[in-house]
Amino acid sequence: MVEMKYVPTICPYCGTGCGLNLVVVDEKVVGVEPLKRHPVNEGKLCPKGVFAHEFIHREDRLTKPLIKETNGEFREAEWDEALDLVASKLGEIKANNPDDIGFLACARSPNENIYITQKFARKVIGTHNVDHCARICHGPTVAGLARTFGSGAMTNDFISIESADVIFIIGSNNVEAHPLFGRRVMRAKKNGAKIIVADPRYTPTAKLADMYIEFRSGRDVPLINAMMKIIIDNDLQDDEFIKNRTKNYQRLKETVAKYDLDYVAELAETDPKKIEEAALMYAKADKAAIVYSLGITEHRHGADNVMANANLAMLTGNIGKVGSGVNPLRGQNNVQGACDMGALPTDYPGYQKVVSGQATKVVEENWTCTLDGCAPGLTVVEMIHAAADGNLKAMYITGEDPVLSDPDTNHVIEAMENLEFLVVQDIFMSETARYADVVFPAAGWGEQEGTFTNGERRVQLVRKAVNPPGEAKVDWEIMKEIAVRMGAESEQFTYKNAEEIFDEMRKITPQYRGMDRKRLERPEALHWPCPDESHPGQGLMHIDSFAHPDGLGVFEPADYIGPSELPDEEYPLVLTTTRTLFHYHASMTRRCKTLDKELPTGYVEINDKDAKKLGIINREKVKVRSRRGEIEIPARVTPDIMEGEVNIPMHFFECAANFLTTSRELDPKSKMAELKVCAVDVEKME
């Protein structure tokens, strides 16, 4: 007799957090059905969600621990041998210096796994060297919004966007990268909202716009500063909001006064009339919302870009009300949760600073331990540099693939090869896992319980539908085994299930304190902040006050510093990178046969005028070079990208954009690398 069941859970891809059912027949996931009543997606899914099940039972899943022999080949090992080896090697390195070890948590994994990763790093090893991929996607959001609003998260819930009168979208192609949020933008347009899109590419999102502003990559700060100058010059600022809710306005006013419209238009290579019209349209709206994503954050001035957007919203009083706000769209399903859980070298769970003695005391009391030192640890990019320089001895990487996703791939490979010991915990043999000394097979999506936190701060249950393959284990179970072997107090790692971990986590995380599994069982789940068990959760933030101690928002004016690398005679084009509709990070979507068939490899978008000058025709293979490397890749000739710019999707290792990007100059406020702008040359191949 065939047994079929539907298991409700949350999509494992972008930060929208759509609800779906896994269709299970005889203990195999055979399909996906959208959850009709789910408040985020309302019974709709994008192609990635529809075919998400196709990677779960792949034959190339990791099923047993692997240990690399001296000849460089992996062999299968029993769990005890692999766990003992990892515990012994980490113990040896820790004995010399705990800060010789670095950890990467997995933003695709449930909160409970991430919480244990940072707890293991801090309590068992004794280091704050713990980070995750937000560092190279939304680290500037956390840093920039924390400085301006006091909280580094999206200010409004998703449904709020449908009530906007004007939506200013910059650095976000949400129709492809966050399609179910893009659907809400389309609804807003039907409701009468005017859409402004600023982007170097005429994206599917830009094609929805009432106004499209084409501008050169990396000129976001001067563009937004010019808009604010126009608003102030026309006396359209919200004086009452500025007086009662903010501080530092005079310094903002002095800074933006320098950004003359004609100067900015020339610098950004854009139409000054469009900048002026966009500024007036935004300022005159009763409810105006800002939407951005990686096009804003992935710069060496990413935090400045974020703060410029925050300044624009506060200048016009567009904070704390429905249809307004600053709305960063998170790239991965649980990147918000990974930040919340303290997978950051500067923060404990709940954004409590490691430099704060009071925060450390709270954590120590709950973990019954003493934490050595309170200096922040290394970020992921700093760990890579330290490993390459011989100053980091070991890394423990769960579910991240820095060889594919981090800038300057050749440098990342150099770093991985230079480590004394590398542990990777994953569901497939990733590009990074190939360099590991030990690879642990992890349980994946649909194979474990826990919670994801989406981009609007909605904490949602993910449920187990089937058992993991072979001998694969849940991340927190693996780390629990190593912790015990390394002498951690047994009572600190005796969890029986994910719910026990969540209950411990919420005790030290103010934003989650009022949540429990029973309350999360509801389809709408709960938004944080949820400070106590009587609190309904809060989709809209900063209604009456900001999250700073004095309740005031802080204008943080930013000046233009520009990209770290500009085109020159040898490298005359600007490279930017993007996501596509059919792919996420490669290890999952490229193993979904339907999605892989739709887009089997990468391409470089090049303006038709640039292509004509170079003699390049559509679909022919070309060579793209930068100062760090080169790739061969098919050309996609199109008028939908600005002349002088090229664009490469980030998903495909055989023609990976990150062989070209740079990691040497970092944003001083967030340690973000310059992923969105570098100088390249495109050559026709013989």
Side-chain angles (χ1 to χ4, degrees):
M1 181 177 177
V2 175
E3 181 183 355
M4 185 174 77
K5 61 182 177 180
Y6 286 76
V7 179
T9 193
I10 305 302
C11 181
Y13 291 123
C14 80
T16 307
C18 296
L20 52 82
N21 283 306
L22 292 174
V23 183
V24 182
V25 176
D26 290 341
E27 300 305 313
K28 294 286 185 182
V29 181
V30 299
V32 161
E33 288 289 335
L35 271 172
K36 304 296 185 187
R37 296 184 297 113
H38 197 274
V40 171
N41 54 308
E42 301 170 318
K44 307 292 183 184
L45 289 173
C46 79
K48 290 188 284 289
V50 170
F51 300 106
H53 64 287
E54 291 186 348
F55 74 84
I56 293 176
H57 300 298
R58 286 271 307 204
E59 291 183 359
D60 58 345
R61 283 287 301 274
L62 295 170
T63 59
K64 283 185 72 71
L66 302 173
I67 294 175
K68 185 173 285 181
E69 299 281 33
T70 53
N71 63 4
E73 298 295 320
F74 285 109
R75 65 169 174 84
E76 291 186 347
E78 297 304 316
W79 271 103
D80 280 341
E81 181 189 6
L83 292 166
D84 288 345
L85 174 60
V86 171
S88 173
K89 292 294 290 185
L90 293 182
E92 289 174 15
I93 298 169
K94 172 191 172 182
N96 182 58
N97 183 0
D99 289 329
D100 282 343
I101 305 173
F103 291 81
L104 297 186
C106 178
R108 290 177 281 180
S109 190
N111 286 317
E112 293 73 11
N113 291 343
I114 300 164
Y115 174 80
I116 292 300
T117 300
Q118 63 84 35
K119 181 178 179 180
F120 182 94
R122 291 179 164 122
K123 177 177 171 57
V124 179
I125 301 299
T127 183
H128 290 304
N129 292 342
V130 57
D131 207 1
H132 71 287
C133 69
R135 185 65 48 196
I136 53 168
C137 61
H138 273 287
T141 290
V142 175
L145 294 187
R147 290 176 70 150
T148 50
F149 299 160
S151 172
M154 190 172 189
T155 63
N156 292 46
D157 52 19
F158 290 151
I159 196 171
S160 169
I161 203 75
E162 296 183 24
S163 300
D165 299 312
V166 168
I167 305 172
F168 177 47
I169 302 172
I170 182 168
S172 167
N173 178 18
N174 48 74
V175 168
E176 286 197 283
H178 303 87
L180 272 298
F181 181 85
R183 178 172 175 260
R184 293 196 183 276
V185 173
M186 294 177 197
R187 277 186 174 177
K189 186 177 175 70
K190 287 182 179 179
N191 292 341
K194 298 296 183 183
I195 313 296
I196 306 165
V197 174
D199 202 295
R201 300 170 59 233
Y202 190 45
T203 64
T205 305
K207 291 172 184 177
L208 291 175
D210 298 277
M211 177 187 296
Y212 168 56
I213 304 172
E214 180 183 69
F215 77 108
R216 183 67 65 201
S217 291
R219 273 62 169 189
D220 311 89
V221 164
L223 177 68
I224 298 167
N225 280 355
M227 290 176 65
M228 288 190 281
K229 181 179 187 300
I230 291 162
I231 290 167
I232 294 168
D233 288 348
N234 285 273
D235 199 27
L236 292 171
Q237 72 278 4
D238 188 331
D239 289 323
E240 185 177 353
F241 186 93
I242 293 167
K243 178 182 177 182
N244 297 328
R245 298 282 311 273
T246 72
K247 59 186 179 184
N248 211 23
Y249 172 58
Q250 189 58 37
R251 193 156 72 88
L252 175 83
K253 194 173 178 180
E254 292 168 1
T255 298
V256 302
K258 298 180 288 187
Y259 288 83
D260 177 75
L261 182 57
D262 290 334
Y263 158 71
V264 170
E266 182 179 357
L267 179 67
E269 299 177 45
T270 191
D271 184 345
K273 293 179 181 178
K274 287 190 175 183
I275 300 176
E276 184 172 25
E277 187 178 347
L280 297 177
M281 190 186 300
Y282 178 88
K284 290 178 179 179
D286 181 47
K287 295 171 292 184
I290 297 171
V291 176
Y292 72 82
S293 192
L294 304 190
I296 280 291
T297 58
E298 289 188 333
H299 296 270
R300 72 160 177 163
H301 45 81
D304 287 348
N305 291 349
V306 170
M307 293 188 300
N309 280 297
N311 293 337
L312 177 60
M314 289 190 290
L315 179 68
T316 53
N318 277 297
I319 291 290
K321 59 185 181 181
V322 172
S324 70
V326 176
N327 302 280
L329 300 180
R330 302 290 186 161
Q332 295 200 37
N333 55 307
N334 203 32
V335 75
Q336 180 67 58
C339 294
D340 298 346
M341 293 301 102
L344 299 167
T346 53
D347 294 33
Y348 296 119
Y351 305 97
Q352 300 171 97
K353 301 301 178 185
V354 301
V355 296
S356 164
Q358 180 58 39
T360 300
K361 182 179 178 182
V362 169
V363 175
E364 287 177 338
E365 288 174 351
N366 280 275
W367 289 357
T368 61
C369 68
T370 300
L371 298 171
D372 294 329
C374 52
L378 299 176
T379 67
V380 56
V381 182
E382 290 172 323
M383 288 185 217
I384 298 300
H385 290 334
D389 294 340
N391 297 322
L392 191 73
K393 307 302 182 186
M395 290 188 73
Y396 194 134
I397 299 174
T398 60
E400 299 278 316
D401 193 4
V403 170
L404 175 65
S405 61
D406 286 25
D408 194 353
T409 296
N410 287 320
H411 180 60
V412 178
I413 291 172
E414 177 190 2
M416 296 297 105
E417 291 179 330
N418 203 39
L419 288 166
E420 289 182 15
F421 195 62
L422 173 61
V423 182
V424 172
Q425 207 159 283
D426 214 322
I427 62 174
F428 295 109
M429 179 60 72
S430 67
E431 298 300 331
T432 302
R434 300 181 194 283
Y435 298 92
D437 297 285
V438 176
V439 179
F440 287 130
W445 175 69
E447 299 165 354
Q448 57 187 312
E449 299 284 320
T451 53
F452 290 161
T453 306
N454 77 347
E456 58 175 351
R457 297 168 282 103
R458 190 189 298 265
V459 183
Q460 305 184 90
L461 291 176
V462 290
R463 295 175 174 88
K464 181 177 179 179
V466 294
N467 290 322
E471 298 177 17
K473 294 178 182 286
V474 178
D475 287 345
W476 67 260
E477 293 177 329
I478 299 170
M479 286 197 157
K480 170 185 169 181
E481 293 277 357
I482 299 169
V484 171
R485 283 168 167 78
M486 293 187 69
E489 299 93 330
S490 58
E491 70 273 10
Q492 284 297 304
F493 286 89
T494 57
Y495 315 103
K496 298 181 181 66
N497 52 49
E499 186 176 356
E500 288 188 0
I501 299 172
F502 188 90
D503 284 341
E504 177 183 300
M505 174 276 297
R506 70 188 182 104
K507 291 177 183 176
I508 61 172
T509 308
Q511 298 89 335
Y512 285 64
R513 193 163 290 146
M515 300 182 186
D516 59 28
R517 183 172 180 106
K518 184 177 180 181
R519 298 191 75 196
L520 295 178
E521 289 281 358
R522 305 174 302 174
E524 65 273 20
L526 287 166
H527 294 273
W528 69 255
C530 182
D532 60 64
E533 293 182 5
S534 65
H535 196 284
Q538 193 169 321
L540 179 61
M541 294 183 72
H542 314 307
I543 298 170
D544 299 312
S545 65
F546 288 93
H548 288 297
D550 62 4
L552 298 178
V554 182
F555 285 108
E556 289 280 0
D559 271 313
Y560 172 65
I561 61 172
S564 58
E565 188 174 84
L566 294 172
D568 57 20
E569 189 173 329
E570 186 177 3
Y571 300 100
L573 298 170
V574 172
L575 168 69
T576 188
T577 63
T578 189
R579 285 192 172 105
T580 68
L581 177 62
F582 296 106
H583 285 292
Y584 179 72
H585 294 297
S587 64
M588 296 191 299
T589 54
R590 292 196 78 185
R591 288 178 169 89
C592 295
K593 61 182 180 181
T594 307
L595 299 174
D596 192 54
K597 184 177 179 181
E598 289 288 343
L599 188 61
T601 194
Y603 52 85
V604 55
E605 283 184 333
I606 183 168
N607 180 271
D608 48 0
K609 293 176 183 176
D610 289 325
K612 186 175 181 180
K613 292 175 192 173
L614 295 168
I616 292 168
I617 61 174
N618 196 38
R619 297 187 179 181
E620 77 168 302
K621 188 166 279 191
V622 297
K623 183 179 290 186
V624 186
R625 297 186 305 115
S626 78
R627 291 178 175 85
R628 285 143 307 272
E630 63 181 45
I631 59 173
E632 295 179 3
I633 188 170
R636 180 176 288 187
V637 178
T638 174
D640 290 346
I641 187 168
M642 194 172 186
E643 193 172 354
E645 300 230 357
V646 295
N647 172 65
I648 299 175
M650 61 179 71
H651 317 288
F652 306 94
F653 188 70
E654 69 274 15
C655 49
N658 281 328
F659 278 109
L660 310 172
T661 53
T662 177
S663 64
R664 283 299 174 183
E665 288 201 41
L666 305 181
D667 177 1
K669 299 179 181 71
S670 69
K671 305 298 178 69
M672 167 62 76
E674 186 85 270
L675 279 153
K676 281 289 184 263
V677 178
C678 77
V680 298
D681 177 46
V682 178
E683 298 176 1
K684 187 178 178 69
M685 295 176 63
E686 297 301 327

